[in-house]
Amino acid sequence: MTTNRCRNRRAVLSFSRALHAEWLRLRRSSLIALHAALSLALGLAAGLYFAMTPWNSLLGYDAFVQLLGAGAPLLAGIACGLAIDVEREAGEYANLLGQPSRRCALAAKGMMLLMLGALPCLCAIALFVGVMAAAGRPLPDPAAIAASFIGVVAGSIVLYALLIAAALAWGRNAAIGLGALGFMCALASLGGLGNGLVTGTLSAALAPFFLMAVPFVWPTRLASLAVELFIAKTGAIPGAVEAFDALLHNAYISVSLCLVGTVAIVGALLAGANRFEGAHRINE
């Protein structure tokens, strides 16, 4: 028992040190400026647009979080690709693969990049909500807004694991390309960007079931379901109440698949961390 406690304590200490080291490297990175600029531009632009146009503001918020969730794979691909490329240039991944515990190093890298993506997402939502509230436009209740943010972040966990692995195995461009493919897949899963806004329907209730198992769609799907469940429950748009059961059923399936898939995929990648052997030189 004492041996296990000591081992667990060392693992926690190793992870905390790796996380601190990641922060020290990341705070000088241009990725922070990129994420900040995107959150400011997207939150303000979308908020001003929906504040000044006659679109239904609840469906407007739904379309906004769909965009955030759909963009998560692309942003994660860019962040992971560039971050891993910096590690390659700095010493052929020595800061990752040369550590006593590769699992701690890779987990810390993924955690820091996830946090880097989550904070701008929160800022973009706060800006959008602030602009809409100032204009007196109706919005989902705070619980639904919080749930939509949690949905984007929770659905993105597996993306960072997969895209870090892709960047290590095949390079920066592969991670960015895979993220772009995920962006298109996420948009298609809900019938296209703003589909529900234009048609006046709750598009998360109509999404094909086979796409629920695709990790790239989890951020946009979970975020949209949180908003549309609120709309259906309150009957804010015509015909919304009838879609509540379908949305709830889809939410149970989507959350279950995301939970099981995230644990399985992240666990498998961490378990196979020692398979990333040696330097992988890529001329890009």
Side-chain angles (χ1 to χ4, degrees):
M1 182 68 71
T2 304
T3 303
N4 288 335
R5 285 181 180 175
C6 291
R7 193 173 299 164
N8 292 337
R9 197 171 299 168
R10 284 196 299 268
V12 171
L13 184 60
S14 178
F15 177 72
S16 64
R17 287 174 175 170
L19 200 61
H20 179 66
E22 285 299 329
W23 163 242
L24 292 177
R25 284 195 290 272
L26 190 60
R27 69 181 183 178
R28 299 182 180 89
S29 170
S30 59
L31 287 174
I32 292 180
L34 172 64
H35 283 72
L38 285 175
S39 68
L40 287 171
L42 189 59
L44 286 175
L48 289 171
Y49 174 76
F50 284 109
M52 296 187 296
T53 55
W55 293 109
N56 183 297
S57 59
L58 295 178
L59 290 177
Y61 181 77
D62 185 30
F64 176 66
V65 295
Q66 285 182 20
L67 175 60
L68 288 180
L74 179 57
L75 189 59
I78 294 171
C80 293
L82 294 179
I84 296 301
D85 201 50
V86 167
E87 295 289 354
R88 178 181 64 83
E89 292 178 350
E92 296 295 349
Y93 312 127
N95 290 324
L96 288 176
L97 306 184
Q99 298 298 318
S101 174
R102 290 184 178 183
R103 293 185 183 91
C104 285
L106 288 171
K109 173 71 75 177
M111 177 70 74
M112 190 55 65
L113 289 173
L114 176 65
M115 291 169 61
L116 179 64
L119 186 57
C121 175
L122 180 61
C123 291
I125 289 175
L127 284 170
F128 182 92
V129 170
V131 171
M132 294 289 281
R137 302 299 303 276
L139 287 164
D141 65 17
I145 292 172
S148 66
F149 167 70
I150 293 171
V152 173
V153 177
S156 299
I157 294 172
V158 71
L159 301 183
Y160 283 89
L162 289 171
L163 292 167
I164 285 174
L168 282 170
W170 302 303
R172 176 193 62 208
N173 290 346
I176 296 174
L178 195 59
L181 181 64
F183 173 67
M184 292 185 287
C185 182
L187 290 182
S189 73
L190 294 174
L193 181 61
N195 173 59
L197 179 69
V198 174
T199 61
T201 59
L202 302 178
S203 52
L206 307 174
F209 279 96
F210 72 90
L211 285 176
M212 293 183 189
V214 179
F216 292 122
V217 311
W218 290 344
T220 190
R221 185 167 185 78
L222 294 181
S224 183
L225 282 167
V227 178
E228 293 186 8
L229 279 169
F230 166 80
I231 295 173
K233 186 177 181 180
T234 57
I237 64 173
V241 175
E242 290 78 2
F244 182 79
D245 289 339
L247 284 167
L248 192 61
H249 178 64
N250 284 4
Y252 283 138
I253 295 175
S254 297
V255 170
S256 298
L257 285 172
C258 180
L259 179 61
V260 174
T262 299
V263 171
I265 293 172
V266 173
L269 290 172
L270 289 177
N274 290 332
R275 294 176 63 87
F276 293 107
E277 294 291 348
H280 186 73
R281 297 181 179 273
I282 303 169
N283 295 320
E284 298 175 324

